[in-house]
Amino acid sequence: MATELHHLSEYDETSVPDASNMCFGIVVSEWNKEITGALLKGAVSTLQRHGAIPENIHVKRVPGSFELIYGAHQMSRNDGYDAIIVLGSVIRGETPHFDYICSGVTYGIARLNATSAIPVIFGLLTTNDLQQAKDRSGGKLGNKGDECAIDAIKMAKF
C-alpha cells in the first residue's frame, strides 16, 4: 500500500478489539537501530493503548532483518502468543544485498504465516533511503509500528 495515500498511524479506533487478554511477541532487528527503535516504540505504545499489559508484550532482538524469520519462528513455537510482530528496516544500498534480504524476509514471514497457528505481522520497512525510513517510523507518514500493532490485535481476534 502506498503510504503517501495512507497515514500509517491513522485508523478507526472503534474497529480495534480489546487487547487486555492478549499476549504479543515482538522480534526487532538491531540493524538501523534508530529506525527499528522508533518502530518498536510505536508498536508497544499502540498495543498498550488498546489494553495490552506490559507483562504480555515480549520483545526479542535479533542482529539484522534476515534473522527476523528465525526469531519469529522460535516465538511461534511458544503456545502463549496471540500474534507476533516482526520489525526491521532495510535501506537500499549500492549492491543487490537489499533485494536478497527483502525477498528472503518476505518469503520467510509469508511461509510462517502459512504454516504457523498464530499470525506473524510483517513490519519490515524496505526503503530507498534513510529519509523514507524516518518518514515511516514516526515521521510525516506515521509509524509502521503502530500499523503492525493494530494488525496484530485484529489478526489475533481473527
Side-chain angles (χ1 to χ4, degrees), residues 106-126:
T106 300
Y107 175 78
I109 299 304
R111 186 165 177 241
L112 282 176
N113 269 306
T115 60
S116 176
I118 59 174
V120 180
I121 307 303
F122 186 80
L124 180 69
L125 290 181
T126 56

Side-chain angles (χ1 to χ4, degrees), residues 16-36:
V16 182
D18 176 36
S20 59
N21 290 321
M22 296 180 185
C23 186
F24 300 94
I26 302 176
V27 185
V28 61
S29 170
E30 294 173 338
W31 194 258
N32 293 324
K33 197 173 201 169
E34 173 189 0
I35 302 303
T36 60

Side-chain angles (χ1 to χ4, degrees), residues 32-51:
N32 293 324
K33 197 173 201 169
E34 173 189 0
I35 302 303
T36 60
L39 294 172
L40 177 62
K41 183 178 178 184
V44 169
S45 66
T46 299
L47 290 171
Q48 290 177 342
R49 187 168 49 257
H50 290 283

